Amino acid sequence: MENRLRINRDTLAELADIQLLLVKNEGLKGGRSFPNTQSGFLNTILTDYVNYLHEGLLNGKNYSELISDAFGGVNSLSDLKLQNAELQRQNKVIIDRVYQLIYMQLFAQVDLYESSPGWENQIGSVFDPSNSYGEVFAEIQKIVERDQQQFFKGRAKKKIKL
């Protein structure tokens, strides 16, 4: 039996990236030591993965369940990449909304400044619940909390992790 293993270019490139990351950052190793050669590095990773699979199969899990457990509920690395792309898209939407809120605040301040001289002396602290600004701030905070709960509830239904 020949003792050769062929690896496609993409996998080999990803393996080299992982090895380089571990060489550059000792903290990523988690206290483990890895061989310096590519062959030794691959053997270490394969041994860990094979042991994980072997233990899981002996415990009655099928391969798909093991992969799903290893990747946090997804069935393949490509599914994980799709989820990552979706999270990045959603993150961009959230950042865009934050910028929209910042601009709305700026426009409101300019409007307030132009329409009411001396407004900066009249406004109260938003953290003081005894004035109307504090009440408005508290109500806005409730809306933000409600929206966050709905946002994370929707993510849980889709089984998408952050």
Side-chain angles (χ1 to χ4, degrees):
M1 181 166 134
E2 192 173 306
N3 203 11
R4 285 190 182 217
L5 179 66
R6 293 198 172 106
I7 302 172
N8 70 38
R9 279 188 210 144
D10 293 339
T11 303
L12 196 57
E14 287 188 38
L15 181 66
D17 286 345
I18 291 170
Q19 188 174 12
L20 186 62
L21 280 170
L22 292 172
V23 166
K24 287 183 176 180
N25 189 340
E26 285 290 322
L28 294 176
K29 291 182 181 181
R32 297 271 315 261
S33 62
F34 293 93
N36 292 331
T37 65
Q38 194 173 33
S39 178
F41 183 72
L42 178 60
N43 276 315
T44 301
I45 289 176
L46 268 175
T47 299
D48 290 343
Y49 186 65
V50 166
N51 288 337
Y52 168 76
L53 289 177
H54 190 245
E55 183 179 319
L57 293 170
L58 288 175
N59 288 329
K61 289 190 174 185
N62 65 40
Y63 187 82
S64 292
E65 289 173 324
L66 291 171
I67 296 300
S68 180
D69 289 347
F71 290 116
V74 294
N75 292 322
S76 70
L77 192 55
S78 62
D79 288 348
L80 194 60
K81 287 178 181 177
L82 287 173
Q83 278 190 357
N84 185 34
E86 175 61 15
L87 286 174
Q88 287 179 355
R89 186 195 66 76
Q90 290 176 359
N91 190 39
K92 184 185 178 320
V93 168
I94 290 170
I95 289 171
D96 287 348
R97 287 185 184 158
V98 168
Y99 285 134
Q100 290 168 0
L101 290 171
I102 290 170
Y103 285 117
M104 286 174 56
Q105 179 186 8
L106 289 173
F107 290 135
Q109 285 175 332
V110 168
D111 186 50
L112 185 60
Y113 180 76
E114 291 175 349
S115 66
S116 177
W119 66 270
E120 63 276 1
N121 297 325
Q122 298 169 14
I123 197 164
S125 171
V126 295
F127 298 108
D128 182 4
S130 66
N131 65 43
S132 61
Y133 303 108
E135 292 172 11
V136 170
F137 182 78
E139 290 303 315
I140 291 172
Q141 186 62 32
K142 287 177 187 176
I143 292 169
V144 168
E145 289 172 2
R146 184 194 68 214
D147 287 351
Q148 285 178 345
Q149 288 174 351
Q150 289 175 344
F151 175 76
F152 288 110
K153 186 188 302 181
R155 296 180 84 68
K157 287 179 183 176
K158 294 178 185 176
K159 296 185 179 179
I160 295 176
K161 295 185 177 181
L162 291 178

